Amino acid sequence: MNSYDLIIIGGGPAGLTAGLYASRAKLKTLLIEKKAAGGQIATTEHIENYPGFAQGSGQELVKIMEEQAARFGAEFLAAGATAVDFSAQEKIITTGKGEFRAPAVIIATGCSARRLEVPGEKEFIGRGVSFCATCDGAFYEDLPVMVVGGGDAAVEEALYLTRFVEKVYLVHRRDALRATKIVQDRVFNNPKIEVVWNSVVEELQGDELLERVVVRNVKDGRKTEIAVNGIFIYIGFLPNTGFLAGQIRLNESGYVVTDDRMETSVPGVFAAGDCREKLLRQVVTATGDGATAAFAVEKYLENLR
Ligand code: NAP
């Protein structure tokens, strides 16, 4: 009974859009998601560049997407995909809740936060180390915190944190931010943010809770201790594709390689969203990928009949 026309793995914007398009096209569709639907965008406080959704939180946007997919009959399963077998026309997805089969699969598993991999990072998770300012920012009311990274995520979350905290040290390994210019300007004009240029985190220290971060200047090698109660790490992402190794073609960084129909190296297996090798990883490109992948699945299944 666990047979479907299409199984979508991952319930972020790419997976939810694929679910909407596929179920609206009357494909019997199962969407597997191990956490709550939404993916990374669900922990984003502020969205202002998704056309048609002028402002609001990631949670709000995702709720609309989820309801829209469910309205046309997509089924949802709360489980993690642990293994896949793409060797036959009927693909098999193994999850914590059993095996599921379909001739077509869309992988939309997104990415997870990259770690600093320095002493203290693991030990202080939940006791000062966070990867989600939206989730944890309010715990640091009137306290000093650090944000690491120079991309859009680091800069936007640093700005968000200034609502609560006393001060944000934005630590970046170079002398220029990677983030979009408009948000860079907001950072430079915010008196609560001090940018610590050309610097990397060496170690996190404290007793029970995080108390200080040792930062090294990469130009002169000088080490400085910065007293903070929280550190928010935004140094990019790694694709959630480990369970696919040996089954489909991944690039050297682990991203799924697809053609412009979102089809992978295995016929009938498609990929959409941030887990895919591509230039721009945003909600707007994820939803576009999801729609294209679902449409391509429809054509693929028609040719099988
Ligand atoms: P990102 O753009 O890849 O930036 C990662 C940042 O972390 C870079 O500044 C990088 O430094 C730094 N970094 C990487 N590894 C590091 C390490 N080991 N130690 C210290 N620093 C390190 O990642 P992101 O900001 O998470 O954004 C991911 C994607 O989502 C991007 O395409 C971004 O535009 C998009 N995004 C968009 C929005 C928006 O449109 N509103 C919001 C958030 C994210 P270098 O600069 O030196 O490489």
Short mmCIF file of all heavy atoms in Angstrom, two decimals, residues 164-191:
data_model
loop_
_atom_site.label_atom_id
_atom_site.label_comp_id
_atom_site.label_asym_id
_atom_site.label_seq_id
_atom_site.Cartn_x
_atom_site.Cartn_y
_atom_site.Cartn_z
N PHE A 164 17.25 42.80 20.41
CA PHE A 164 17.28 42.30 21.79
C PHE A 164 18.56 42.65 22.52
O PHE A 164 18.54 43.04 23.66
CB PHE A 164 17.19 40.76 21.81
CG PHE A 164 16.13 40.19 20.94
CD1 PHE A 164 16.43 39.68 19.68
CD2 PHE A 164 14.83 40.13 21.39
CE1 PHE A 164 15.44 39.15 18.89
CE2 PHE A 164 13.83 39.59 20.61
CZ PHE A 164 14.14 39.10 19.35
N VAL A 165 19.69 42.45 21.83
CA VAL A 165 20.96 42.37 22.54
C VAL A 165 21.56 43.75 22.79
O VAL A 165 21.13 44.76 22.23
CB VAL A 165 21.97 41.49 21.76
CG1 VAL A 165 21.38 40.11 21.50
CG2 VAL A 165 22.39 42.14 20.46
N GLU A 166 22.59 43.74 23.64
CA GLU A 166 23.30 44.98 23.94
C GLU A 166 24.21 45.35 22.78
O GLU A 166 24.31 46.50 22.36
CB GLU A 166 24.12 44.76 25.22
CG GLU A 166 24.96 45.92 25.63
CD GLU A 166 26.07 45.47 26.59
OE1 GLU A 166 26.93 44.66 26.21
OE2 GLU A 166 26.03 45.94 27.73
N LYS A 167 24.90 44.30 22.23
CA LYS A 167 25.88 44.56 21.18
C LYS A 167 26.11 43.30 20.36
O LYS A 167 26.04 42.19 20.90
CB LYS A 167 27.19 44.98 21.86
CG LYS A 167 28.32 45.16 20.90
CD LYS A 167 29.51 45.83 21.54
CE LYS A 167 30.55 46.04 20.44
NZ LYS A 167 31.31 47.21 20.57
N VAL A 168 26.39 43.48 19.07
CA VAL A 168 26.73 42.34 18.21
C VAL A 168 28.13 42.56 17.64
O VAL A 168 28.39 43.59 17.01
CB VAL A 168 25.75 42.21 17.02
CG1 VAL A 168 26.16 41.05 16.11
CG2 VAL A 168 24.31 42.03 17.48
N TYR A 169 29.03 41.61 17.89
CA TYR A 169 30.32 41.59 17.20
C TYR A 169 30.13 40.73 15.96
O TYR A 169 29.81 39.55 16.09
CB TYR A 169 31.41 40.98 18.09
CG TYR A 169 31.72 41.78 19.33
CD1 TYR A 169 31.07 41.49 20.53
CD2 TYR A 169 32.65 42.81 19.29
CE1 TYR A 169 31.36 42.22 21.68
CE2 TYR A 169 32.94 43.55 20.43
CZ TYR A 169 32.28 43.24 21.62
OH TYR A 169 32.57 43.97 22.75
N LEU A 170 30.29 41.31 14.79
CA LEU A 170 30.16 40.54 13.56
C LEU A 170 31.57 40.18 13.09
O LEU A 170 32.34 41.04 12.65
CB LEU A 170 29.43 41.37 12.49
CG LEU A 170 29.23 40.71 11.12
CD1 LEU A 170 28.35 39.46 11.23
CD2 LEU A 170 28.59 41.69 10.14
N VAL A 171 31.92 38.91 13.23
CA VAL A 171 33.29 38.46 12.94
C VAL A 171 33.34 37.88 11.53
O VAL A 171 32.63 36.92 11.22
CB VAL A 171 33.74 37.41 13.98
CG1 VAL A 171 35.09 36.82 13.62
CG2 VAL A 171 33.76 38.02 15.37
N HIS A 172 34.21 38.48 10.71
CA HIS A 172 34.29 38.01 9.33
C HIS A 172 35.75 37.79 8.95
O HIS A 172 36.63 38.57 9.33
CB HIS A 172 33.63 39.03 8.40
CG HIS A 172 33.62 38.61 6.97
ND1 HIS A 172 33.36 37.30 6.58
CD2 HIS A 172 33.82 39.30 5.83
CE1 HIS A 172 33.43 37.22 5.27
NE2 HIS A 172 33.70 38.43 4.78
N ARG A 173 36.00 36.74 8.17
CA ARG A 173 37.39 36.34 7.91
C ARG A 173 38.11 37.23 6.88
O ARG A 173 39.32 37.09 6.70
CB ARG A 173 37.43 34.89 7.46
CG ARG A 173 36.71 34.59 6.15
CD ARG A 173 36.76 33.11 5.85
NE ARG A 173 36.03 32.77 4.64
CZ ARG A 173 35.89 31.54 4.19
NH1 ARG A 173 36.40 30.53 4.85
NH2 ARG A 173 35.22 31.31 3.07
N ARG A 174 37.36 38.09 6.19
CA ARG A 174 37.98 38.96 5.17
C ARG A 174 37.76 40.43 5.53
O ARG A 174 37.23 40.74 6.58
CB ARG A 174 37.34 38.70 3.81
CG ARG A 174 37.66 37.37 3.23
CD ARG A 174 37.19 37.30 1.80
NE ARG A 174 35.74 37.27 1.64
CZ ARG A 174 35.04 38.06 0.84
NH1 ARG A 174 35.65 38.98 0.12
NH2 ARG A 174 33.73 37.93 0.73
N ASP A 175 38.12 41.32 4.56
CA ASP A 175 37.93 42.76 4.81
C ASP A 175 36.75 43.33 4.03
O ASP A 175 36.63 44.54 3.88
CB ASP A 175 39.22 43.53 4.50
CG ASP A 175 39.63 43.37 3.05
OD1 ASP A 175 38.93 42.67 2.30
OD2 ASP A 175 40.67 43.94 2.66
N ALA A 176 35.90 42.45 3.51
CA ALA A 176 34.70 42.91 2.81
C ALA A 176 33.61 41.87 3.01
O ALA A 176 33.89 40.66 3.00
CB ALA A 176 34.98 43.09 1.33
N LEU A 177 32.37 42.35 3.17
CA LEU A 177 31.25 41.41 3.35
C LEU A 177 30.82 40.86 2.00
O LEU A 177 30.97 41.53 0.97
CB LEU A 177 30.07 42.12 4.03
CG LEU A 177 30.33 42.66 5.45
CD1 LEU A 177 29.13 43.46 5.92
CD2 LEU A 177 30.62 41.51 6.42
N ARG A 178 30.27 39.66 2.03
CA ARG A 178 29.74 39.05 0.82
C ARG A 178 28.26 39.43 0.62
O ARG A 178 27.73 39.37 -0.48
CB ARG A 178 29.85 37.52 0.99
CG ARG A 178 29.28 36.69 -0.12
CD ARG A 178 29.42 35.21 0.21
NE ARG A 178 30.82 34.81 0.24
CZ ARG A 178 31.53 34.48 -0.84
NH1 ARG A 178 30.97 34.51 -2.02
NH2 ARG A 178 32.79 34.12 -0.74
N ALA A 179 27.62 39.86 1.69
CA ALA A 179 26.17 40.11 1.68
C ALA A 179 25.77 41.19 0.68
O ALA A 179 26.58 42.04 0.29
CB ALA A 179 25.72 40.52 3.08
N THR A 180 24.49 41.17 0.29
CA THR A 180 23.90 42.16 -0.60
C THR A 180 24.14 43.58 -0.05
O THR A 180 24.05 43.80 1.15
CB THR A 180 22.36 41.93 -0.65
OG1 THR A 180 22.14 40.53 -0.76
CG2 THR A 180 21.71 42.63 -1.81
N LYS A 181 24.43 44.51 -0.97
CA LYS A 181 24.82 45.87 -0.56
C LYS A 181 23.80 46.54 0.36
O LYS A 181 24.18 47.18 1.34
CB LYS A 181 25.03 46.75 -1.80
CG LYS A 181 26.33 46.44 -2.54
CD LYS A 181 27.55 47.11 -1.90
CE LYS A 181 28.85 46.76 -2.56
NZ LYS A 181 29.35 45.41 -2.25
N ILE A 182 22.53 46.38 0.07
CA ILE A 182 21.52 47.11 0.87
C ILE A 182 21.57 46.69 2.34
O ILE A 182 21.45 47.52 3.23
CB ILE A 182 20.09 46.96 0.26
CG1 ILE A 182 19.12 47.87 1.01
CG2 ILE A 182 19.60 45.54 0.24
CD1 ILE A 182 17.77 48.02 0.32
N VAL A 183 21.81 45.39 2.60
CA VAL A 183 21.87 44.99 4.01
C VAL A 183 23.23 45.34 4.63
O VAL A 183 23.32 45.60 5.82
CB VAL A 183 21.52 43.49 4.25
CG1 VAL A 183 20.03 43.27 4.29
CG2 VAL A 183 22.17 42.56 3.29
N GLN A 184 24.26 45.39 3.81
CA GLN A 184 25.57 45.85 4.31
C GLN A 184 25.43 47.26 4.87
O GLN A 184 25.92 47.57 5.95
CB GLN A 184 26.60 45.89 3.18
CG GLN A 184 27.08 44.55 2.73
CD GLN A 184 28.37 44.67 1.92
OE1 GLN A 184 29.14 45.60 2.07
NE2 GLN A 184 28.60 43.69 1.06
N ASP A 185 24.74 48.12 4.11
CA ASP A 185 24.58 49.51 4.55
C ASP A 185 23.86 49.58 5.89
O ASP A 185 24.20 50.38 6.75
CB ASP A 185 23.80 50.32 3.50
CG ASP A 185 24.61 50.50 2.22
OD1 ASP A 185 25.84 50.28 2.27
OD2 ASP A 185 24.01 50.84 1.18
N ARG A 186 22.86 48.70 6.06
CA ARG A 186 22.12 48.70 7.33
C ARG A 186 23.05 48.32 8.48
O ARG A 186 22.93 48.84 9.58
CB ARG A 186 20.94 47.73 7.26
CG ARG A 186 19.84 48.22 6.34
CD ARG A 186 18.71 47.20 6.26
NE ARG A 186 17.86 47.47 5.11
CZ ARG A 186 17.04 46.59 4.56
NH1 ARG A 186 16.95 45.37 5.05
NH2 ARG A 186 16.30 46.91 3.53
N VAL A 187 23.97 47.39 8.22
CA VAL A 187 24.92 46.98 9.26
C VAL A 187 25.84 48.14 9.63
O VAL A 187 26.03 48.45 10.80
CB VAL A 187 25.76 45.77 8.77
CG1 VAL A 187 27.03 45.61 9.58
CG2 VAL A 187 24.95 44.51 8.88
N PHE A 188 26.41 48.78 8.60
CA PHE A 188 27.37 49.85 8.87
C PHE A 188 26.71 51.04 9.59
O PHE A 188 27.36 51.79 10.29
CB PHE A 188 28.04 50.32 7.57
CG PHE A 188 28.82 49.20 6.90
CD1 PHE A 188 28.84 49.07 5.52
CD2 PHE A 188 29.52 48.27 7.65
CE1 PHE A 188 29.55 48.04 4.90
CE2 PHE A 188 30.23 47.23 7.05
CZ PHE A 188 30.25 47.11 5.68
N ASN A 189 25.39 51.17 9.40
CA ASN A 189 24.69 52.30 10.04
C ASN A 189 24.09 51.93 11.39
O ASN A 189 23.43 52.75 12.01
CB ASN A 189 23.58 52.81 9.11
CG ASN A 189 24.16 53.49 7.89
OD1 ASN A 189 25.20 54.15 8.00
ND2 ASN A 189 23.52 53.31 6.75
N ASN A 190 24.29 50.68 11.82
CA ASN A 190 23.68 50.27 13.09
C ASN A 190 24.71 50.40 14.23
O ASN A 190 25.71 49.70 14.24
CB ASN A 190 23.19 48.82 12.99
CG ASN A 190 22.31 48.45 14.16
OD1 ASN A 190 22.68 48.67 15.30
ND2 ASN A 190 21.14 47.93 13.86
N PRO A 191 24.44 51.29 15.18
CA PRO A 191 25.43 51.54 16.24
C PRO A 191 25.67 50.33 17.15
O PRO A 191 26.67 50.29 17.87
CB PRO A 191 24.81 52.71 17.03
CG PRO A 191 23.36 52.69 16.70
CD PRO A 191 23.22 52.10 15.34
#
